[in-house]
Amino acid sequence: MPGTLYVTNMPPDRLKHLAIHVAGGMEYGVQDIGPWSLSVGKGSLAASIFVGAFVAYCDFKVHISALPDGNTQLLLERNSPWWTGLIGVGRVKRKAVELADAYGNNILTQGFQVLHRADN
């Protein structure tokens, strides 16, 4: 899945809390899918099938992991709802970038560093 990767010096437990809080504040539904993984969603699969590009169906995954150098990685994976066409996929991509930007801004606001960001 395409998405955004952050490397930060924020501790993993604080980064997970931040990921939950930021997504919830942006009106995403958030569910734990593993000890260090979250499902972050907005929109309806059924509506996206029937209405197509008019609805952004966001089904994101967030994975947090500690790195050997003591830093922490946050990976935001976005879905690509091909059935909505280029317009629908573009809307989902914009929503993912907005969420990723919010994660980065909140990391900085809390006094930690963004050591690396990669988008694909």
Side-chain angles (χ1 to χ4, degrees):
M1 271 191 178
T4 301
L5 170 77
Y6 277 106
V7 176
T8 178
N9 62 341
M10 181 178 267
D13 56 336
R14 289 199 53 187
L15 189 56
K16 183 178 179 185
H17 178 74
L18 178 138
I20 293 167
H21 177 74
V22 169
M26 294 176 71
E27 299 182 0
Y28 284 89
V30 181
Q31 293 182 324
D32 273 319
I33 56 173
W36 297 102
S37 296
L38 306 168
S39 176
V40 177
K42 186 187 279 191
S44 164
L45 174 61
S48 74
I49 291 171
F50 292 113
V51 185
F54 298 106
V55 175
Y57 172 60
C58 302
D59 182 21
F60 305 150
K61 304 295 183 261
V62 176
H63 306 284
I64 296 161
S65 56
L67 299 174
D69 63 3
N71 292 313
T72 307
Q73 172 179 291
L74 180 144
L75 175 61
L76 169 65
E77 296 179 339
R78 69 172 169 82
N79 60 317
S80 295
W82 55 268
W83 60 91
T84 61
L86 290 176
I87 294 171
V89 171
R91 286 184 181 180
V92 169
K93 184 175 181 178
R94 281 190 299 279
K95 294 286 188 186
V97 168
E98 288 173 6
L99 181 58
D101 289 346
Y103 283 154
N105 291 336
N106 276 272
I107 290 168
L108 295 172
T109 299
Q110 291 196 21
F112 294 94
Q113 296 175 321
V114 172
L115 303 169
H116 178 71
R117 176 180 170 156
D119 296 293
N120 61 6

